[in-house]
Amino acid sequence: MAYETLIVETHGAVGLITLNRPQALNALNSTVLRELLQVHEAFQADDAIGAIVLTGSERAFAAGADIKEMQPLGYVDVYSRDLMSGWDDVAKVRKPVIAAVSGFALGGGCELAMMCDIIIASETAKFGQPEITLGVIPGMGGSQRLTRAVGRYKAMDLILTGRMMDAAEAERAGLVSRVVAAERLLDEALEAAAKIASLSHPSVLMAKEAVNRALETTLDEGLRFERRLFHSLFSTEDQKEGMTAFIEKRKPAFKNR
Ligand code: CO8
């Protein structure tokens, strides 16, 4: 299927989505949102896909929500359409998503990266929430996800001043999982995704669910939730295979069952 704003490929068990609006530094408009949701749904339904990589261009992962699309809108327009709410569904994809970020990840671009599960950044990446300089505030989760990722004081600094931080600062702050040389970015992300996709898919989905639960609940409830998921994995063939393979000193052959 051809998309207007995305390039979609598969690399073995990994789905690769490349944002493709070079003329607007991959600014996120309603077409990008609609197409991303379609691709996520297709990858989610495809049993052969175990992980997804989302990337942009060398110059920009995404320079934010499309300012030209938003500029003429009034309160009633954005309120009645519940503008930006569709992005919540992008964050709900159950398979792991790795953001491979080069260049600008600003505003909605930074927020889109934060909807992913692992952020691998090139040394050239720049993150920021510059909405305040446009007379608005983050609207795709920035004030919530950035604060959870880097803490209140760093989040306030970025959101109140609108300044950008480079990859090294983003890694120190805990927003970025790994920083790699620009030329290694896509390979590093695809290799990490291939590793994840080679593991037992039910345990991967549950690991993602368990980590995300940590952000939403108390420690006590989170520990109970983790333990119940852990227990439930003992009903899978892959638990027997994984542990037997360890004892027999061979690689496991997971069946995702
Ligand atoms: N939207 C639309 N077009 C964009 C955007 C954007 N976010 N960013 C860049 N572009 C376009 C430029 O207009 C330009 O187009 P043209 O050639 O037609 O003039 C082209 O991309 C190239 O950009 P620049 O010439 O500006 O390139 P520079 O290298 O000089 O600068 C920057 C790069 C620094 C990234 C600069 O483009 C910039 O500051 N972009 C905007 C960054 C920004 O403010 N992002 C936040 C947007 S708001 C948001 O994401 C969330 C809002 C949530 C609101 C919720 C409301 C309910």
Side-chain angles (χ1 to χ4, degrees), residues 21-28 59-60 62-70 78-79 82-84 104 106-111 128-131 133-134 136-140 164:
R21 292 191 73 212
Q23 71 289 1
L25 300 183
N26 291 332
L28 306 168
R59 191 162 167 227
D66 193 314
I67 299 169
K68 292 168 187 167
E69 193 179 69
M70 287 184 294
V78 299
Y79 177 73
D82 204 7
L83 190 70
M84 304 296 168
F104 299 111
L106 301 177
C110 185
E111 292 166 304
Q129 296 290 161
E131 290 89 343
T133 66
L134 302 169
V136 291
I137 67 167
M140 286 164 53
M164 293 185 211

Coordinates of all heavy atoms in Angstrom, one line a residue, residues 21-28 59-60 62-70 78-79 82-84 104 106-111 128-131 133-134 136-140 164, ligand 1:
R21 N 7.9 13.8 4.8 CA 7.4 15.1 4.4 C 8.6 16.1 4.4 O 8.6 17.0 5.2 CB 6.3 15.7 5.3 CG 5.0 14.9 5.3 CD 3.9 15.8 6.1 NE 3.5 16.9 5.3 CZ 3.1 18.1 5.9 NH1 3.2 18.3 7.2 NH2 2.7 19.1 5.1
P22 N 9.6 15.8 3.5 CA 10.8 16.6 3.6 C 10.6 18.1 3.5 O 11.4 18.9 4.1 CB 11.7 16.0 2.5 CG 10.8 15.3 1.6 CD 9.6 14.8 2.4
Q23 N 9.7 18.5 2.7 CA 9.5 19.9 2.5 C 9.0 20.6 3.7 O 9.2 21.9 3.8 CB 8.5 20.2 1.3 CG 7.0 19.8 1.6 CD 6.6 18.3 1.7 OE1 7.5 17.4 1.6 NE2 5.4 18.0 2.0
A24 N 8.5 19.9 4.7 CA 8.0 20.5 6.0 C 8.8 20.0 7.2 O 8.3 20.0 8.3 CB 6.5 20.3 6.1
L25 N 10.0 19.4 7.0 CA 10.8 18.8 8.0 C 9.9 17.8 8.8 O 10.0 17.7 10.0 CB 11.3 19.9 9.0 CG 12.3 20.9 8.4 CD1 12.8 21.9 9.4 CD2 13.5 20.2 7.7
N26 N 9.1 17.1 8.1 CA 8.3 16.0 8.6 C 7.3 16.5 9.6 O 6.9 15.8 10.6 CB 9.1 14.9 9.3 CG 9.9 14.1 8.2 OD1 9.4 14.0 7.1 ND2 11.0 13.5 8.6
A27 N 6.8 17.7 9.5 CA 5.8 18.3 10.4 C 4.6 17.3 10.3 O 4.2 16.8 9.3 CB 5.4 19.7 10.0
L28 N 4.0 17.1 11.5 CA 2.9 16.1 11.7 C 1.5 16.7 11.4 O 1.0 17.5 12.2 CB 3.0 15.6 13.1 CG 4.3 15.1 13.5 CD1 4.4 14.8 15.0 CD2 4.7 13.8 12.7
R59 N 17.9 15.2 8.6 CA 17.7 16.6 9.1 C 16.7 16.7 10.2 O 16.8 17.6 11.1 CB 17.4 17.5 7.9 CG 17.4 19.0 8.2 CD 17.5 19.8 7.0 NE 17.3 21.2 7.3 CZ 16.4 22.0 6.7 NH1 15.8 21.6 5.6 NH2 16.3 23.2 7.1
A60 N 15.6 15.9 10.1 CA 14.5 16.0 11.1 C 13.8 14.7 11.3 O 13.4 14.1 10.3 CB 13.5 17.1 10.6
A62 N 11.0 14.9 13.3 CA 9.8 15.7 13.0 C 9.9 17.0 13.7 O 10.2 17.1 14.9 CB 8.5 15.0 13.4
A63 N 9.6 18.1 12.9 CA 9.8 19.5 13.5 C 8.5 19.9 14.2 O 8.2 21.1 14.3 CB 10.2 20.5 12.5
G64 N 7.6 19.0 14.6 CA 6.4 19.4 15.3 C 5.2 19.1 14.6 O 5.1 18.6 13.5
A65 N 4.1 19.5 15.3 CA 2.8 19.5 14.6 C 2.8 20.5 13.5 O 3.6 21.5 13.6 CB 1.7 19.8 15.6
D66 N 2.0 20.4 12.5 CA 2.0 21.3 11.3 C 1.4 22.6 11.7 O 0.2 22.8 11.9 CB 1.3 20.7 10.2 CG 1.6 21.4 8.9 OD1 1.6 22.7 8.9 OD2 1.9 20.8 7.9
I67 N 2.3 23.6 11.9 CA 1.9 25.0 12.3 C 1.0 25.6 11.3 O 0.0 26.3 11.6 CB 3.2 25.9 12.6 CG1 4.0 25.2 13.7 CG2 2.7 27.3 13.0 CD1 5.4 25.9 13.9
K68 N 1.3 25.3 10.0 CA 0.5 25.9 8.9 C -1.0 25.4 8.9 O -1.9 26.1 8.6 CB 1.1 25.7 7.6 CG 2.5 26.5 7.4 CD 3.3 26.1 6.2 CE 4.7 26.8 6.3 NZ 5.6 26.3 5.4
E69 N -1.1 24.1 9.3 CA -2.4 23.5 9.4 C -3.2 24.1 10.6 O -4.4 24.3 10.6 CB -2.3 22.0 9.5 CG -3.6 21.2 9.3 CD -3.4 19.7 9.4 OE1 -3.1 19.2 10.5 OE2 -3.5 19.0 8.4
M70 N -2.5 24.3 11.7 CA -3.1 24.8 12.9 C -3.4 26.3 13.0 O -4.3 26.7 13.6 CB -2.2 24.5 14.2 CG -2.2 23.0 14.5 SD -1.2 22.8 16.0 CE 0.4 23.3 15.6
V78 N -10.8 23.5 17.3 CA -9.9 22.5 17.9 C -10.6 21.8 19.0 O -10.4 20.6 19.2 CB -8.6 23.2 18.5 CG1 -7.8 23.8 17.4 CG2 -8.8 24.2 19.6
Y79 N -11.6 22.4 19.7 CA -12.3 21.8 20.8 C -13.3 20.7 20.2 O -13.3 19.6 20.7 CB -13.0 22.8 21.7 CG -13.9 22.1 22.8 CD1 -13.2 21.5 23.9 CD2 -15.2 22.0 22.7 CE1 -14.0 20.9 24.9 CE2 -16.0 21.4 23.6 CZ -15.3 20.8 24.7 OH -16.1 20.2 25.7
D82 N -11.5 17.9 18.9 CA -10.6 17.4 20.0 C -9.2 17.2 19.4 O -8.6 16.1 19.4 CB -11.2 16.0 20.5 CG -10.6 15.8 21.9 OD1 -10.0 16.6 22.5 OD2 -10.9 14.6 22.4
L83 N -8.8 18.3 18.8 CA -7.5 18.3 18.0 C -6.4 17.6 18.9 O -6.2 17.9 20.1 CB -7.1 19.7 17.7 CG -5.9 19.9 16.7 CD1 -6.3 19.5 15.3 CD2 -5.4 21.3 16.7
M84 N -5.6 16.8 18.2 CA -4.5 16.0 18.8 C -4.9 14.8 19.5 O -4.0 14.0 19.9 CB -3.6 16.9 19.8 CG -3.1 18.2 19.2 SD -2.0 17.8 17.8 CE -1.8 19.5 17.1
F104 N 16.0 17.4 14.1 CA 15.0 18.0 15.0 C 13.9 17.0 15.4 O 13.3 16.3 14.6 CB 14.4 19.2 14.2 CG 15.3 20.2 13.8 CD1 15.6 20.5 12.5 CD2 15.9 21.0 14.8 CE1 16.5 21.5 12.1 CE2 16.8 22.0 14.4 CZ 17.1 22.3 13.1
L106 N 11.1 18.2 17.6 CA 10.6 19.4 18.3 C 9.1 19.3 18.5 O 8.4 18.8 17.6 CB 10.9 20.6 17.5 CG 12.4 20.9 17.3 CD1 12.7 22.1 16.5 CD2 13.2 21.0 18.6
G107 N 8.6 19.8 19.5 CA 7.1 19.9 19.7 C 6.5 18.5 19.6 O 6.9 17.5 20.2
G108 N 5.6 18.4 18.6 CA 4.9 17.1 18.4 C 5.9 16.0 18.0 O 5.7 14.9 18.1
G109 N 7.1 16.5 17.4 CA 8.1 15.5 17.0 C 8.7 14.8 18.2 O 8.9 13.6 18.3
C110 N 9.0 15.7 19.2 CA 9.5 15.1 20.5 C 8.5 14.3 21.2 O 8.7 13.2 21.7 CB 10.0 16.3 21.4 SG 10.8 15.8 22.9
E111 N 7.2 14.8 21.1 CA 6.1 14.0 21.7 C 5.9 12.7 21.0 O 5.6 11.7 21.7 CB 4.9 14.9 21.7 CG 5.0 16.1 22.6 CD 4.0 17.2 22.4 OE1 3.8 17.7 21.3 OE2 3.2 17.5 23.3
G128 N 13.2 19.2 21.8 CA 12.6 20.4 22.5 C 11.1 20.5 22.4 O 10.5 19.8 21.6
Q129 N 10.6 21.3 23.3 CA 9.1 21.6 23.3 C 9.0 23.1 23.1 O 8.7 23.8 24.1 CB 8.5 21.1 24.6 CG 8.6 19.6 24.9 CD 7.7 18.7 24.0 OE1 8.0 17.6 23.9 NE2 6.7 19.3 23.3
P130 N 9.1 23.6 21.8 CA 9.1 25.0 21.6 C 7.7 25.7 21.5 O 7.6 26.8 21.1 CB 9.8 25.2 20.3 CG 9.5 23.9 19.6 CD 9.3 22.8 20.6
E131 N 6.6 24.9 21.9 CA 5.3 25.5 21.7 C 5.0 26.8 22.3 O 4.3 27.7 21.8 CB 4.2 24.5 22.2 CG 4.1 23.2 21.4 CD 5.0 22.1 21.8 OE1 6.0 22.4 22.6 OE2 4.8 20.9 21.5
T133 N 6.9 29.3 22.5 CA 7.3 30.4 21.6 C 6.2 30.7 20.5 O 6.4 31.7 19.8 CB 8.7 30.1 20.9 OG1 8.5 29.0 20.0 CG2 9.7 29.7 21.9
L134 N 5.3 29.8 20.4 CA 4.2 30.0 19.4 C 2.9 30.5 20.1 O 1.9 30.6 19.5 CB 3.8 28.7 18.7 CG 5.0 28.0 17.9 CD1 4.5 26.6 17.5 CD2 5.3 28.8 16.7
V136 N 1.4 28.8 22.5 CA 0.6 27.7 23.0 C 1.4 26.8 24.0 O 2.5 27.3 24.4 CB 0.0 26.8 21.9 CG1 -1.1 27.6 21.1 CG2 1.1 26.3 20.9
I137 N 1.0 25.6 24.3 CA 1.8 24.7 25.1 C 1.8 23.3 24.4 O 1.0 23.1 23.5 CB 1.2 24.6 26.6 CG1 -0.2 23.9 26.6 CG2 1.2 26.0 27.2 CD1 -0.6 23.5 28.0
P138 N 2.6 22.4 24.9 CA 2.5 21.1 24.2 C 1.1 20.5 24.3 O 0.4 20.7 25.3 CB 3.5 20.2 25.1 CG 4.4 21.2 25.7 CD 3.6 22.5 26.0
G139 N 0.7 19.9 23.2 CA -0.7 19.4 23.1 C -0.8 17.9 22.7 O -1.8 17.4 22.6
M140 N 0.4 17.2 22.6 CA 0.4 15.8 22.2 C 1.1 15.0 23.3 O 1.7 14.0 23.1 CB 1.1 15.6 20.9 CG 0.3 16.0 19.7 SD 1.3 16.1 18.2 CE 2.1 14.5 18.1
M164 N 16.2 24.1 22.9 CA 16.4 22.7 22.4 C 17.5 22.1 23.3 O 18.4 22.8 23.8 CB 16.9 22.7 21.0 CG 15.9 23.2 20.0 SD 16.7 23.0 18.3 CE 15.8 24.4 17.5
Ligands
CO8_1 N1 4.9 23.0 10.8 C1 4.9 23.4 9.5 N2 6.0 23.6 8.7 C2 7.2 23.5 9.3 C3 7.3 23.2 10.6 C4 6.2 22.9 11.4 N3 6.2 22.5 12.7 N4 8.7 23.2 10.9 C5 9.3 23.5 9.8 N5 8.4 23.7 8.8 C6 8.7 24.1 7.4 C7 9.1 25.6 7.3 O1 8.0 26.4 7.3 C8 9.9 25.6 6.0 O2 8.9 25.6 5.0 P1 9.1 26.7 3.7 O3 10.4 26.2 3.1 O4 7.9 26.4 2.9 O5 9.2 28.0 4.4 C9 10.5 24.2 6.0 O6 9.8 23.4 6.9 C10 12.0 24.3 6.4 O7 12.0 24.9 7.7 P2 13.0 26.1 8.0 O8 13.2 26.9 6.8 O9 12.4 26.9 9.2 O10 14.3 25.4 8.4 P3 15.5 25.9 9.4 O11 16.6 24.9 9.3 O12 15.8 27.3 9.2 O13 14.8 25.7 10.9 C11 13.6 24.6 12.7 C12 14.5 24.5 11.4 C13 14.4 25.2 13.8 C14 13.1 23.2 13.0 C15 12.4 25.5 12.3 O14 11.8 25.0 11.1 C16 11.3 25.5 13.4 O15 11.5 26.2 14.4 N6 10.2 24.8 13.2 C17 9.1 24.8 14.1 C18 9.4 24.1 15.4 C19 8.2 24.2 16.3 O16 7.8 25.2 16.8 N7 7.5 23.0 16.5 C20 6.4 23.0 17.4 C21 5.2 23.1 16.7 S1 3.7 23.1 17.7 C22 3.5 21.4 18.2 O17 4.2 20.6 17.8 C23 2.5 20.9 19.2 C24 1.4 21.9 19.2 C25 0.3 21.3 20.0 C26 -0.8 22.2 20.0 C27 -2.1 21.6 20.5 C28 -3.2 22.5 20.2 C29 -4.5 21.9 20.6

